[in-house]
Amino acid sequence: MTLPPISSYLPILGWARSYTRDTAMSDLVAAIIVTIMLIPQSLAYALLAGLPAEMGLYASILPLVAYAVFGTSRTLAVGPVAVVSLMTAAAIGQLGLSDPADIALAAITLAFISGVFLTLLGILKLGFVANFLSHPVIAGFITASGILIAGSQLKHILGIDAHGETLVKLVPSLIEHLGQTNLITLVIGVLATAFLFWVRKGLKPLLVSLGVPKKLAEVGAKAGPVAAVVLTTLAAWAFDLGAHGVKLVGEVPTGLPPLSAPSFDVEMWRTLLLPAVLISIIGFVESVSVAQTLAAKRRQRISPDQELIGLGTSNIASAMSGGFPVTGGFSRSVVNFDAGAETPAAGAYTAIGIGVATLALTPLLFFLPTATLAATIIVAVLSLVDFSILKKTWVYSKVDFTAVAATIVLTLTLGVETGVSAGVLLSIFLHLYKTSKPHVAEVGLVPGTHHFRNVKRHKVDTLPDVLTLRVDESLYFVNARFLEEYVLGKVAICDDLRHVVLMFPAVNDVDMSALETLEELNTRLGENGIDLHLTEVKGPVMDKLKRSHFLDALTGQVFLSQYDAWVALKGGEDLAAAQ
């Protein structure tokens, strides 16, 4: 057995061989832009997760280096993201901790569990588990999460003390404390939010119209959040706004991330295990979707199983350096791509930039208003809210619409963990529901051709003593009984029937339950003097059938094509002899 090359486990060995000075310059420019964007985002997402601000910076250093070594995407930017930060806050909230040190340890432990889980999935090549979440359900969950995240930040914009992990609890709490609004905080929050919204759409065109080169204008637009941080921090310092009730970030420790270790408390692991699994799956789905989209634009490919290892080791690295769960971020990755990143080295350069910030810039963050960070989060997450998915699914599939709507409602009313768990269960249920009643069509021969089509949709020829049914789904325990009842129901209303032909062009598998059903169907038809035939059976399915006694007991025969069966049955050949 030939083992895969070591570069398949360490992708860095592949792209590093062709690394050039020009590539390094492209990566460095992209890293500078992403670093400028990532500093305020890291602080903001730590705030969202209910953690000290410096943990956001810590989660943006070693994880990027780990992904550069183990990840396969050339442009994916790993770090804290909004949805995972919200899920982190919800998971830690279940522990009922109040000591900041214990809360930080729980976040580190959550990142470690998630990292180990993702890495094991990658080693075992189980990336397919992400398929248990359908895209509409994911879209519904992310939309609901975006609303929850934006709503949770209103307390920082208003400068009040409100609580609630769900919309049902959060809205009454906000209303109850509305009278405590700090007007200065409100002004800062509103102005910062408005400024950041304008920066997204209006700053780049303005700079270009003023003669600034397009590339430099793009950098300026990406630096908008940094400008908001600088301006509001200077204002808070100059006017001593902290003395007027404006909540500030406060002291942020200076220095590189400390080496840390997760807790191995059994009760903590028991509580955090399910949230860690859900965070891992959601993070992987979001990350691999972004990575595949960006890779396709450059005709590159990624390995989903290796991506699991890349994200897993990134989370382990985050845990070992005082961070919290991370994944590939959509906005940062797009910025990284547009800025010209050529290899994962851009992420490593970004890590160096964040490391410099933790060494030199953290003292300057003391006077940063938390309202500014809240504004950064609100502007970032509102782009995640997409109610158009409701209209699309309503028009296309009422079943998918029900799943999306249920996911949104459950997430908003019962919390993110319940919402994503419901999403997974709904996705699985939808698959079982849709395949439990496979499409089965009675077909006939299109005149003048060798093609067979649905008798209800086309003008076709049929044989009076032959019933031909095309099965358009793999057969397994969920739908096997349906097929048997469908065939027997058709047989009951057909007079002078001598042959039943099952077309299997779309059947990719027949499990043991379905095999037993086919055997029972063959016996019952045979007792009524009706032969059962199969046509267009795929090779892997035929291989499985040959390992059973079904073909020996089959009253009819297996034809290579449906047209062969048509000719043989129409001609009244001695089928046993022909077999």
Side-chain angles (χ1 to χ4, degrees), residues 241-443:
L241 297 183
H244 297 279
V246 175
K247 188 175 181 181
L248 306 176
V249 169
E251 184 177 354
V252 178
T254 300
L256 294 174
L259 287 177
S260 56
S263 168
F264 290 98
D265 178 72
V266 175
E267 185 61 25
M268 180 179 287
W269 274 62
R270 187 189 66 80
T271 304
L272 294 180
L273 184 58
L274 177 59
V277 170
L278 297 176
I279 285 172
S280 300
I281 294 175
I282 288 292
F284 172 66
V285 170
E286 181 179 354
S287 179
V288 80
S289 299
V290 176
Q292 287 176 332
T293 300
L294 297 179
K297 290 183 178 181
R298 292 183 179 173
R299 297 187 178 182
Q300 298 169 347
R301 297 189 66 183
I302 67 166
S303 167
D305 290 325
Q306 184 61 33
E307 280 298 289
L308 283 166
I309 296 176
L311 292 175
T313 53
S314 295
N315 276 279
I316 293 174
S318 184
M320 304 307 288
S321 57
F324 58 99
V326 298
T327 191
F330 175 77
S331 59
R332 285 196 302 274
S333 298
V334 172
V335 169
N336 197 37
F337 179 89
D338 291 340
E342 296 286 345
T343 72
Y349 298 152
T350 300
I352 294 173
I354 300 296
V356 171
T358 63
L359 288 171
L361 301 181
T362 49
L364 304 178
L365 299 173
F366 184 92
F367 288 97
L368 173 59
T370 56
T372 304
L373 296 180
T376 301
I377 293 173
I378 290 173
V379 173
V381 301
L382 286 183
S383 63
L384 302 175
V385 178
D386 179 20
F387 285 112
S388 67
I389 190 67
L390 291 171
K391 180 180 179 181
K392 292 175 184 176
T393 52
W394 176 262
V395 172
Y396 187 76
S397 169
K398 300 299 187 293
V399 174
D400 284 332
F401 170 81
T402 302
V404 173
T407 302
I408 291 176
V409 171
L410 289 173
T411 302
L412 291 177
T413 57
L414 299 180
V416 291
E417 186 174 321
T418 301
V420 71
S421 299
V424 173
L425 294 176
L426 281 170
S427 296
I428 297 173
F429 171 77
L430 284 177
H431 171 73
L432 295 177
Y433 176 78
K434 290 176 181 177
T435 58
S436 65
K437 296 181 179 181
H439 181 259
V440 180
E442 182 179 354
V443 298

Side-chain angles (χ1 to χ4, degrees), residues 212-241:
V212 177
K214 185 177 179 181
K215 203 73 176 177
L216 193 57
E218 289 179 353
V219 176
K222 299 299 184 294
V226 175
V229 167
V230 171
L231 291 174
T232 55
T233 300
L234 287 174
W237 169 74
F239 298 104
D240 193 18
L241 297 183

Side-chain angles (χ1 to χ4, degrees), residues 441-444 452 466-470 499-503 562:
E442 182 179 354
V443 298
F452 290 79
V466 178
L467 173 66
T468 302
L469 300 175
R470 189 188 67 227
H499 306 282
V500 170
V501 182
L502 295 182
M503 287 182 64
Q562 178 57 35

